[in-house]
Amino acid sequence: MTELMELLRWAVCLFGLTYIVTEAAIFNKVREPIASKSAFLRRLMICPICFSLWGSLILSVIYFSPTGNLLTDALMGVGTYWLFNKASDD
């Protein structure tokens, strides 16, 4: 698979993961108990930008690092979520 396709796959996985964890109704029963454990986890579960930063780090460690640098991956993940979210707004 080409590097561009891997990058696109990483970006779509990150967007989907962030959306499901922070906004999707299907995750409500999991999100609320996790969010009640600490202020940090609460913020992480309700803030898509916050979660996309940590989610991009997790994806980069366990799946694929698009840039080879975790800090750059994290910042790119935040930008990716923001861009995809703006593109999907009605």
Side-chain angles (χ1 to χ4, degrees):
M1 190 174 289
T2 67
E3 287 183 23
L4 184 59
M5 289 303 294
E6 284 291 331
L7 176 61
L8 183 60
R9 180 184 284 184
W10 182 89
V12 171
C13 286
L14 174 64
F15 182 76
L17 178 65
T18 300
Y19 180 80
I20 288 169
V21 169
T22 62
E23 298 181 41
I26 195 168
F27 207 71
N28 282 344
K29 289 184 180 180
V30 176
R31 183 184 311 115
E32 292 172 14
I34 293 172
S36 69
K37 297 210 181 284
S38 75
F40 173 76
L41 290 175
R42 183 169 98 44
R43 174 57 87 189
L44 194 60
M45 293 291 112
I46 64 170
C47 174
I49 295 297
C50 303
F51 187 87
S52 67
L53 182 124
W54 292 102
S56 62
L57 287 173
I58 292 167
L59 274 179
S60 294
V61 168
I62 66 171
Y63 173 63
F64 164 73
S65 174
T67 67
N69 180 308
L70 291 178
L71 178 60
T72 306
D73 291 349
L75 296 174
M76 188 170 68
V78 170
T80 297
Y81 178 81
W82 179 85
L83 184 65
F84 281 13
N85 190 49
K86 289 297 177 189
S88 67
D89 280 347
D90 290 336

